[in-house]
Amino acid sequence: MEKNPAPQASQILLNALASAKDETFTCGLLRSLGVRRVSEASEIIGTKLDHKNHIIAAGAIDALVNINTPEAVTVLKQKLTPTDPAVVAVAKGLL
């Protein structure tokens, strides 16, 4: 779906993320939304930043960084702290 040029694809991914239960599927949806740079996904992706699974939280960070809109940056700033394990994990991966 992430390479599908149809605008409806973004909405389908957003709807799927809202109801996703499977953690692997959730990670894939986060990645696809980030690759597509779906700016309207920032808020729902932000709800995954404090997920108990640090891989999902890191995926949410990565998606928001890829989206890179003022809204995405605001969500990151509001939800994350420097001691957040997901932030530390992503930072280590970037070094």
Side-chain angles (χ1 to χ4, degrees), residues 4 11 15 20 22 31 43 57 69 72 75 82 84 87 95:
N4 185 330
Q11 189 59 50
N15 292 343
D22 181 78
R31 181 183 188 292
E43 285 299 319
T69 61
V75 170
D84 186 319
V87 175
L95 295 176

Side-chain angles (χ1 to χ4, degrees), residues 7-20:
Q8 302 91 327
S10 294
Q11 189 59 50
I12 291 168
L13 291 168
L14 277 168
N15 292 343
L17 182 61
S19 62

Side-chain angles (χ1 to χ4, degrees), residues 58-69:
I61 293 167
D62 188 55
L64 290 168
V65 168
N66 283 330
I67 292 170
N68 196 25
T69 61

Side-chain angles (χ1 to χ4, degrees), residues 19-71:
S19 62
K21 303 285 187 245
D22 181 78
E23 292 183 344
T24 302
F25 185 54
T26 299
C27 287
L29 291 167
L30 290 168
R31 181 183 188 292
S32 293
L33 289 164
V35 168
R36 290 180 66 88
R37 292 186 167 89
V38 180
S39 59
E40 58 271 17
S42 297
E43 285 299 319
I44 191 166
I45 290 172
T47 66
K48 306 297 181 190
L49 291 171
D50 57 358
H51 198 280
K52 65 182 180 203
N53 181 327
H54 295 302
I55 295 171
I56 290 176
I61 293 167
D62 188 55
L64 290 168
V65 168
N66 283 330
I67 292 170
N68 196 25
T69 61
E71 295 83 13

